[in-house]
């Protein structure tokens, strides 16, 4: 038998979802049976599948130990990635991800030195996260950028903040801005790119279409040319939608591929640029909250950014 005390980050979670989290090896049918015959109790009483936990609830589970074998280990403690914190408060942390780092475990095989592992290790070292004190929650990313894209990524420190931020992103109340270097000069110098993207899972890339079609997703990007050089331009980008490879694919389709882009770019332009990395940087996040934002209301209107000069220096401009 094992007992748990519901913490703040468990509040509002359904009983069945909580059970799956803390007892991942327990078959669903057996979980329902154990709830029915009172081998899973809340505050000493029979509980229902749909019961939503309250902070301080005591959950007793009369279940064999083998069903509690958790697959997720504390691997983040071995993470050697030192994260760069741009902003932090009691609810969120915004970090500056370097180019070449994956945000979380993916098909590349990297499991330890990921951005989220680095964030967990940082919070653990600062006494803000201890998995032994949490039943179901762990710090989580709210937005993601590609391995070869550098820039700002938001992570939530608690379940309520994660829920709020995920909804704000879905409702487009968090604005994301990028700088990129493109081949040539965009024409017109500012405007909106609107296309439809179809993702090819096998090739891990997207195809761009000028008309809607089956399984194609709308991609909208606003842009403004900031500086024009001899053979390339610095462009400021605002994402209206957030599709996979959106900026890279759309600018390539428009005839202005990003410098350093090995997938959608121009090999000769890449070689001439001398860039060893993809010239795409998520440099600014704006919390443009227009609806209720709960405990994160203080972030309304806040801008977090990396200076343009720092980015140009990174690209040797």
């Amino acid at each position: 038998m094992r007992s748990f005390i519901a913490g703040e980050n468990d509040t509002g979670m359904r009983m069945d979802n909580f059970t799956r989290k803390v007892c991942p090896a327990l078959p669903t049918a057996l979980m329902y049976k154990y709830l029915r015959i009172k081998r899973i109790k809340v505050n000493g009483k029979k509980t229902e599948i749909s019961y939503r936990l309250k902070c301080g609830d005591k959950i007793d589970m009369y279940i064999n130990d083998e069903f509690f074998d958790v697959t997720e280990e504390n691997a983040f403690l071995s993470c050697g990635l030192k994260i760069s914190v741009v902003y932090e408060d009691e609810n969120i942390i915004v970090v500056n991800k370097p180019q070449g780092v994956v945000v979380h475990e993916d098909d590349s095989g990297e499991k330890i030195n990921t951005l989220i592992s680095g964030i967990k290790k940082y919070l653990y070292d600062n006494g803000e996260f201890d998995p032994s004190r949490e039943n179901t929650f762990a710090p989580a990313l709210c937005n993601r950028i590609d391995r070869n894209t550098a820039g700002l990524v938001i992570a939530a420190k608690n379940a309520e903040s994660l829920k709020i931020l995920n909804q704000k992103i879905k409702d487009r109340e968090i604005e994301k801005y990028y700088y990129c270097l493109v081949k040539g000069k965009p024409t017109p110098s500012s405007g909106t790119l609107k296309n439809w993207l179809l993702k090819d899972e096998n090739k891990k890339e997207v195809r761009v279409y000028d008309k809607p079609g089956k399984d194609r997703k709308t991609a909208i990007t606003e842009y403004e040319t900031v500086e024009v050089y001899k053979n390339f331009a610095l462009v400021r980008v605002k994402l209206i939608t957030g599709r996979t490879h959106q900026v890279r694919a759309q600018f390539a389709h428009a005839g202005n591929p990003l410098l350093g882009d090995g997938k959608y770019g121009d090999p000769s332009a890449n070689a001439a640029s001398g860039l060893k990395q993809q010239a795409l940087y998520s440099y600014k996040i704006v919390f443009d909250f227009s609806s209720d934002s709960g405990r994160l209301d203080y972030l309304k209107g806040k801008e977090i950014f990396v200076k343009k000069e720092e980015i140009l220096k990174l690209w040797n401009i």
Side-chain angles (χ1 to χ4, degrees):
M1 190 271 280
R2 296 192 188 183
S3 296
F4 304 88
I5 301 297
E8 179 184 350
N9 291 319
D10 304 315
T11 301
M13 181 175 287
R14 280 174 52 111
M15 193 62 230
D16 51 349
N17 292 332
F18 178 88
T19 303
R20 289 189 183 97
K21 287 278 189 177
V22 301
C23 200
L26 183 66
T28 299
L30 198 54
M31 175 185 67
Y32 291 153
K33 178 181 178 181
Y34 284 176
L35 284 164
R36 188 174 63 252
I37 65 175
K38 296 189 289 187
R39 290 186 66 172
I40 300 175
K41 297 180 179 180
V42 175
N43 300 323
K45 299 178 181 179
K46 181 180 178 180
T47 187
E48 300 295 330
I49 293 170
S50 59
Y51 175 74
R52 293 190 178 274
L53 290 169
K54 299 178 179 63
C55 189
D57 278 348
K58 182 185 180 186
I59 304 99
D60 295 319
M61 295 186 173
Y62 298 85
I63 299 173
N64 292 346
D65 286 343
E66 61 265 24
F67 292 122
F68 288 98
D69 292 336
V70 180
T71 57
E72 183 178 351
E73 302 293 338
N74 293 336
F76 70 88
L77 294 173
S78 301
C79 181
L81 179 67
K82 186 174 178 61
I83 64 169
S84 173
V85 179
V86 180
Y87 173 83
E88 182 179 9
D89 61 35
E90 67 274 17
N91 295 310
I92 73 166
I93 181 171
V94 180
V95 301
N96 192 359
K97 184 189 85 69
Q99 186 267 345
V101 173
V102 293
V103 293
H104 53 70
E105 182 181 347
D106 63 6
D107 294 339
S108 69
E110 180 57 67
K111 297 182 179 180
I112 304 298
N113 290 310
T114 65
L115 187 68
I116 187 58
S117 290
I119 291 171
K120 289 178 180 178
K121 179 69 161 50
Y122 169 85
L123 295 175
Y124 179 86
D125 289 343
N126 288 349
E128 292 190 75
F129 170 59
D130 184 348
S132 68
R133 297 178 182 175
E134 295 286 350
N135 296 317
T136 59
F137 179 80
L141 303 179
C142 303
N143 67 306
R144 295 172 174 83
I145 54 179
D146 296 338
R147 173 197 282 269
N148 293 319
T149 301
L152 302 179
V153 178
I154 313 168
K157 293 183 178 182
N158 52 67
E160 185 178 351
S161 296
L162 179 62
K163 182 180 179 181
I164 293 170
L165 289 173
N166 283 343
Q167 187 62 48
K168 294 299 182 185
I169 290 173
K170 182 179 179 181
D171 294 340
R172 298 180 184 173
E173 293 183 29
I174 295 180
E175 298 178 348
K176 290 168 278 187
Y177 295 82
Y178 289 72
Y179 278 125
C180 59
L181 294 176
V182 303
K183 176 185 175 182
K185 177 184 176 182
T187 304
S189 60
S190 62
T192 301
L193 299 177
K194 182 175 182 179
N195 308 103
W196 287 263
L197 306 184
L198 181 64
K199 189 174 182 179
D200 187 327
E201 292 289 354
N202 294 324
K203 295 183 178 180
K204 302 298 181 183
E205 63 182 38
V206 297
R207 293 195 293 273
V208 183
Y209 297 87
D210 293 321
K211 295 181 180 180
K214 183 180 179 183
D215 296 328
R216 300 175 189 175
K217 295 184 177 181
T218 307
I220 304 174
T221 302
E222 295 179 355
Y223 72 92
E224 176 187 6
T225 303
V226 178
E227 295 182 39
V228 177
Y229 304 92
K230 184 177 180 180
N231 299 312
F232 60 95
L234 175 67
V235 178
R236 181 188 295 117
V237 167
K238 177 183 177 182
L239 294 186
I240 304 303
T241 59
R243 308 301 183 192
T244 300
H245 299 173
Q246 176 174 316
V247 175
R248 299 162 60 192
Q250 284 190 300
F251 274 99
H253 184 71
N256 303 105
L258 270 61
L259 299 185
D261 188 344
K263 188 181 289 286
Y264 303 98
D266 181 319
S268 60
N270 290 346
S273 73
L275 278 171
K276 303 300 182 184
Q277 58 182 293
Q278 177 177 285
L280 181 62
Y281 205 109
S282 173
Y283 83 95
K284 185 167 74 170
I285 293 172
V286 179
F287 296 91
D288 189 29
F289 297 164
S290 58
S291 59
D292 178 50
S293 47
R295 72 192 296 169
L296 300 183
D297 188 64
Y298 63 90
L299 289 173
K300 184 176 181 179
K302 187 172 184 61
E303 296 185 4
I304 299 171
F305 61 92
V306 177
K307 292 181 179 179
K308 181 180 71 174
E309 292 74 19
E310 295 180 29
I311 300 168
L312 293 182
K313 184 178 180 180
L314 185 68
W315 291 340
N316 295 318
I317 303 298

